[in-house]
Amino acid sequence: MLSSKDKTETRRLPMMPIREVVIFPHMMTPFVVGRESSVRALEEALEHGDRCIFLAAQHDASVDEPRPDEIFSVGTVAKIVQSVKQSDGNIKVLVEGMERGKILSVSEEEGFFRATIKTTSFRVEQGPQLDALTSRVTSLFEQYVKISQNVNYDSMVAAIRPDDPGKLADTVGANLQLALEEKQELLEIFDPIDRLTRVAEMLDVEIEKLNVDRSIQGRVKRQIDKAQKEYYLNEKIKAIQKELGRGEKSEFDELKKKIESAGMTKDAQEKAMAELKRLEQMPPMSAESTVSRNYLDWLLAVPWKKKSKEIRDLPHAQSVLESDHYGLEKIKERILEFLAVRRLVKDPKGSILCFVGPPGVGKTSLGMSIAKATGRKFVRLSLGGVRDEAEVRGHRRTYIGALPGQILQMMKKAGVRNPVFMLDEIDKMSTDFRGDPSAALLEVLDPEQNYMFMDHYLDVEYDLSQVFFIATANVLHTIPPALQDRMEVIRLSGYTELEKMEIAKRFLVPKQTKETGVNSGEIEFPDEGIQELTQHYTREAGVRNLEREIGNVCRKVARAVVNAQSPAPEKGGEKPVAKKIDKAVITAAKVGELLGPQKFREQLTDRRNEVGATVGLAWTEVGGSILTTEAAIMEGRGRLTTTGKLGDVMQESAQAAMSYVRSRSHHMGLPRDFYRHLDIHLHVPEGAIPKDGPSAGITIATSITSALTSIPVRADIAMTGEITVRGRVLPIGGLKEKLLAAHRQGIFEVVLPTDNEKDLPDIPENIRNEMKLHFVNSMDEVLKIALERDLEMAPLSGMLTAAEIVARSREEKVTQ
């Protein structure tokens, strides 16, 4: 093969730098001209008859106005075939490459470049070597076009001119998917034989690339099936990485390091490593891979060794508890005892307490104070309405969307092994076909078992022995006995009026004034106003409604303050003047003015003694309350009717009371067969509310005795106690709540069973000092205290008929 220079020519043409494209001779290429200098060069070329322009690529496409040294020195002389000016001012041109040219010099004329270029033409001698090279390039290009999906086979094959080596090299080079630098390299080769040889080398490389890509695609297609077609792209990337010798080990190495440093138990670490090994062998986007990855994430997320640094300073803890809560001395003592043990024992087991009390007495906030006093993290799990055992233990991983139970989810949230963990409303759990969550809590709340708690999802043992569990409940009877046995029950009774007063002054008033934006200079709560709110606007064991009413007062004062600061415009268009209001002093009268009529009746001390009406004391889930029991007699056939939605136990108490009265009828001046001709109706008001329990026994017996003997019952005395058919008075529960209820209602004299005298230390000292307590063993003692006069003073009625007894009872009521 031989090629030689045929002719060299020097020309001076307008020059246009072009971006990101190399224009080869013999090729038609459209592009858009927008730069001002390029437009002027184009216009200059169009003014001449040959319409020729020199096009050279610039090194950096981001440069808007390149200098001559920023433009490649070899370009193409092109003829402007067509130019169309667009609406945005740009010009769309179609050019045809004519020949290569090399820049000799560049000058700037009237805002555009004019280049002096040298063009060279070559003469090629035909021969076997040239024919072989031409045939090889043609064959390679046909092969390239068949493999490539970006080139049209028919049009490209038709454009090949094997009789002209230079044109053949330019045609092939222009249609290869090459980088700008590689195309520029081809353009700068003037000798057609050298250019054709370089094109053959490039075709070999590009065909090899396409074959590798096809092999990758084939490998991927063999790996996937119909269910995995959507993961095609990811598999292709994986195959490319494999072809390049790269792996996906970095992510798995990181997971392995996390597992080794997590501080897991030996069994948990072995299980995590086995799961990691399985994960490495799975396709990354498969469903099983997601499940395994989520499992490993949860294993790493729960705290295995991190612990809060516990504060064991007793004075500090006492200070925190005193500042956050008023009263509750028994509970504060228990917390300080717990901390004292922590100081003496190096690694004690976690405590499990259960706070039981009516709503609003501070059970939940007390748990938060304990966490603050001990320096631990605090997490709270509400168990109200939970009825699925999986909420505690989690679901097994075989289920779609499975997660660990709430216990481990809260441990993850805490981030430490030893938080204060509050199980709120533990008495509100229920049971259905999905299991019993209270049974699942048996393991959690057992210090002998919870060091190896097993969650269904993680399926490895987890140590809960360092957790300080605190459960809260309103009642105990709905908590299974086995669960109660695992907790130390601490009862929180209702607050006295004095305690409510102090709580309001220390906590509630400052909190509500801050939340409503009222400052201390605009409102003042004297003791008189707080007492009015406590006595006549709330009836509760806790202070939640008291806080709500204080908030109502503060909001009304806030509105008055805002109205004074922004008064309505006066008539005549005069600018209103803001008024300064005096400090709102919340006296008893002011409370009524702001909140309206009193919501609860006056204290019962003003009530008159009545026949058949006795004040009893009851315990409810929200604290103690008073319960008036009424009895009426009428002619009949000896029936005892009970109304007021009484439960079975209370109805049996009524039967026991009736049996006692019948057995003592001769001591009460009643005919022995009085019950055969009388009906007795026993009613407990507020009939929509269910009532039950044995502690109303002496109250019922007193009401029946009063109705039959027409002796009024003292209205200033309350009572509670269980009765037997022989008249013995048995002890009751909830003494503190019942005495607090009597005190709230203004009743300061109470009849109690003697066996309850041992419970007096639990009663606040101020309540004991203000109340007169009668401790009795028998019903005879109760009647002697509760009736207006002794039974011995009742008129002898042994000869009276049932009609006369009824008439006498009616006369007594009329007299009253």
Side-chain angles (χ1 to χ4, degrees), residues 581-628:
I581 63 170
D582 297 330
K583 177 191 285 190
V585 180
I586 311 303
T587 61
K590 188 70 172 178
V591 170
E593 179 185 332
L594 294 174
L595 300 184
Q598 297 175 349
K599 296 181 180 180
F600 298 94
R601 293 176 292 177
E602 287 290 333
Q603 296 176 344
L604 298 176
T605 50
D606 295 332
R607 288 183 54 181
R608 293 179 299 172
N609 302 342
E610 296 183 21
V611 171
T614 308
V615 178
L617 298 176
W619 179 91
T620 68
E621 294 182 8
V622 295
S625 66
I626 66 166
L627 210 61
T628 302

Side-chain angles (χ1 to χ4, degrees), residues 38-59:
S38 299
V39 171
R40 290 185 179 181
L42 183 67
E43 291 173 347
E44 177 68 17
L46 290 172
E47 289 178 0
H48 294 78
D50 59 359
R51 298 165 67 93
C52 287
I53 190 169
F54 183 69
L55 304 175
Q58 60 187 69
H59 294 283

Side-chain angles (χ1 to χ4, degrees), residues 438-439 441-443 445-446 476 479-487:
S438 62
L441 282 177
L442 293 176
E443 181 184 3
L445 299 180
D446 189 343
L476 277 177
I479 304 175
L483 192 56
Q484 290 185 39
D485 185 58
R486 283 163 168 77
M487 302 183 291

Side-chain angles (χ1 to χ4, degrees), residues 83 116 155 164 207 220 230 349 385 466 515 583 661 671 691:
S83 66
T116 301
S155 60
D164 186 343
I207 289 172
V220 172
E230 62 270 24
K349 294 180 180 178
Q466 300 297 315
E515 289 184 358
K583 177 191 285 190
V661 172
K691 310 168 189 71

Side-chain angles (χ1 to χ4, degrees), residues 679-751:
D679 284 347
I680 299 178
H681 185 172
L682 193 69
H683 178 68
V684 183
E686 299 183 14
I689 302 174
K691 310 168 189 71
D692 206 358
S695 63
I698 64 172
T699 310
I700 295 171
T702 303
S703 294
I704 294 174
T705 302
S706 171
L708 289 170
T709 60
S710 299
I711 302 176
V713 182
R714 291 171 56 188
D716 61 343
I717 194 168
M719 61 185 68
T720 178
E722 182 178 353
I723 189 176
T724 69
V725 292
R726 295 187 298 165
R728 288 187 57 214
V729 179
L730 303 182
I732 46 82
L735 180 63
K736 182 178 178 181
E737 290 83 355
K738 292 177 179 180
L739 290 181
L740 290 178
H743 188 271
R744 282 198 300 269
Q745 295 286 355
I747 299 178
F748 299 99
E749 195 169 348
V750 180
V751 178

